[in-house]
Amino acid sequence: MLGLGATGAAALAQESATEAAADKLRAAHLKSVGSRAHKSFYPNDKWDLSSLPAYRPKPGLSGVIRIGGKYLTTGTVLSQWQKAFTALYPDVRFEVTDQDLESGLADIIQKRGYTWSELHAFQAKFGYYPLEIEMATGSYNVPGWTPAFAIFVNNDNPIRGLTIDQLDGMFGGPRRGGWKGTVWNPAAARGRDQNIRTWGQVGLTGAWKDREVVPSGRPLKYHIQLYFERKVFEGGSIWNENLQEFAHELQPDGTRALSSVSIVKSVQENLGGIAFADLASDMEGVKYIPIAREAGQPFVPLTLDTLRSREYPLFLEVFLYANRDPAKPMNPLVQEFLRFALSREGQQAIQNDGKWLPLTETVAAEQRRKLD
């Protein structure tokens, strides 16, 4: 095996140091944002949660809950849950872990969602999918806390709104299908004739008719792209050949350029630009537009209320996962903790924190049925 040589070794060391510096900045940001409640975004009494069922404890529970997920364990939601749950069950204690479910060293983990490769690895090992519980709706405008996709265009763009299919045509390419979990779905196929590459194809006229659509996003290895694929491409993975990619990059002065800011800035600088990013990246010279699920349906603006109700179609879910063998009874302690998370008290903790959004009665009921 050939060595790297002095030049190669130095380059590798520099690359490692750069990544370490970026990791340090990410960790500092996560700690800073996570450790405080965000009352400036919405107060802890914005929504009346009385329609959610109050939690009713079951006697005799004891043991350890091993729980992980960097946004859950860094934020204030878990500490609230721990305090309330152990008040009801004094013989229960929590262990925070950075292990995944596959290791057998975690009972519950929080994450934005399993990627295809993660889901495939889990299924290959156990023969079934992990139990997936939606614990909250993603944030309105808190970066990192699973913010909704806002669709930005240049402020001079006269477009009133777009449908999901039109977003597919602008950001995506022709495909033979898409993924539902790890199952290939040919029904998600679409042809090249559905590509949208000019603004005239969505009804704009005059100087806009032949103006090129210039989409921007993150590099395709970033996980966030996968969730856009799920929401807009029906699980497909073919993107517009002209997609502009913007990564998180460490600057010469030691600061970290956020990809979402760079993405939105590209729209500010290009009349034909369009991008998906979080609302925290909003800036002068751009606007975010309403979105409709289907043609003929009303365009829905992105607001706190339309996001929590999920009328705005580009919301993201926040999940809790557990390893539940469908052929066996569920661990009762894990089951009860998940019930608590979905209760009025559990969802009030999310509202108190002010980053994620509490579930509606309908969504919470759907998730509780998964625990039966």
Side-chain angles (χ1 to χ4, degrees):
M1 180 177 177
L2 296 176
L4 286 172
T7 302
L12 188 61
Q14 178 60 42
E15 181 180 326
S16 178
T18 299
E19 185 58 30
D23 285 341
K24 186 175 181 179
L25 286 171
R26 281 193 291 267
H29 170 76
L30 180 64
K31 183 177 180 180
S32 172
V33 176
S35 60
R36 65 181 188 271
H38 280 243
K39 297 296 188 294
S40 60
F41 299 135
Y42 68 92
N44 59 11
D45 60 350
K46 175 170 175 57
W47 292 295
D48 179 4
L49 303 184
S50 61
S51 62
L52 295 170
Y55 179 72
R56 296 182 178 179
K58 293 185 175 181
L61 285 182
S62 62
V64 178
I65 299 175
R66 302 167 299 174
I67 190 165
K70 65 179 180 179
Y71 290 97
L72 179 65
T73 58
T74 304
T76 72
V77 172
L78 181 58
S79 60
Q80 294 181 70
W81 282 352
Q82 288 174 316
K83 182 178 180 180
F85 200 74
T86 53
L88 297 170
Y89 301 107
D91 294 326
V92 171
R93 63 185 179 87
F94 288 82
E95 290 181 0
V96 172
T97 178
D98 60 1
Q99 300 293 323
D100 57 29
L101 288 182
E102 293 87 329
S103 71
L105 300 175
D107 300 305
I108 300 170
I109 60 169
Q110 172 271 316
K111 61 194 305 179
R112 178 184 280 122
Y114 266 71
T115 65
W116 184 93
S117 57
E118 291 169 340
L119 198 59
H120 184 269
F122 188 98
Q123 186 187 45
K125 182 171 183 177
F126 296 104
Y128 51 84
Y129 288 153
L131 173 66
E132 182 181 81
I133 299 293
E134 295 176 28
M135 60 163 270
T137 297
S139 78
Y140 175 65
N141 58 356
V142 186
W145 267 258
T146 325
F149 291 128
I151 302 300
F152 288 95
V153 297
N154 189 278
N155 208 44
D156 291 336
N157 192 322
I159 195 75
R160 292 179 49 249
L162 292 167
T163 68
I164 295 294
D165 280 347
Q166 287 172 330
L167 291 177
D168 185 352
M170 290 176 161
F171 284 94
R175 57 181 180 267
R176 297 188 64 199
W179 295 99
K180 283 189 175 181
T182 58
V183 178
W184 181 246
N185 175 29
R190 77 161 179 82
R192 189 176 301 276
D193 60 313
Q194 292 173 274
N195 284 354
I196 296 175
R197 300 295 182 260
T198 67
W199 285 99
Q201 290 175 270
V202 291
L204 297 192
T205 59
W208 286 88
K209 181 179 179 181
D210 296 320
R211 191 179 299 279
E212 181 185 5
V213 172
V214 183
S216 294
R218 293 173 177 84
L220 299 186
K221 289 187 180 295
Y222 280 28
H223 286 175
I224 193 64
Q225 304 293 94
L226 303 178
Y227 304 111
F228 192 83
E229 291 175 0
R230 176 166 58 86
K231 288 287 181 179
V232 177
F233 300 173
E234 296 184 86
S237 56
I238 306 299
W239 287 76
N240 184 325
E241 64 281 2
N242 297 316
L243 178 73
Q244 298 186 109
E245 299 170 285
F246 294 89
H248 300 315
E249 295 182 90
L250 197 66
Q251 303 301 294
D253 63 0
T255 60
R256 181 167 167 258
L258 295 176
S259 59
S260 56
V261 174
S262 301
I263 287 167
V264 177
K265 188 171 179 58
S266 75
V267 174
Q268 180 193 62
E269 296 172 347
N270 192 315
L271 286 175
I274 185 169
F276 63 94
D278 57 78
L279 282 186
S281 303
D282 194 11
M283 63 182 66
E284 294 291 330
V286 301
K287 61 185 176 183
Y288 52 99
I289 59 174
I291 302 299
R293 292 182 188 276
E294 296 178 3
Q297 294 186 353
F299 295 122
V300 179
L302 174 53
T303 69
L304 267 170
D305 288 315
T306 62
L307 182 57
R308 189 198 171 215
S309 69
R310 299 188 175 184
E311 295 171 83
Y312 181 75
L314 296 180
F315 66 91
L316 288 177
E317 309 90 339
V318 184
F319 298 106
L320 293 175
Y321 288 94
N323 187 345
R324 178 185 185 178
D325 185 337
K328 298 178 181 178
M330 189 173 182
N331 178 326
L333 183 54
V334 171
Q335 185 178 43
E336 279 310 299
F337 181 76
L338 292 174
R339 288 190 193 281
F340 174 81
L342 296 169
S343 71
R344 185 188 309 165
E345 294 84 351
Q347 292 298 298
Q348 185 62 54
I350 289 169
Q351 181 158 236
N352 292 345
D353 182 69
K355 293 189 275 292
W356 294 317
L357 277 57
L359 298 175
T360 63
E361 178 184 12
T362 299
V363 177
E366 291 170 353
Q367 303 311 302
R368 288 195 302 274
R369 285 193 287 271
K370 297 179 183 180
L371 299 172
D372 294 335

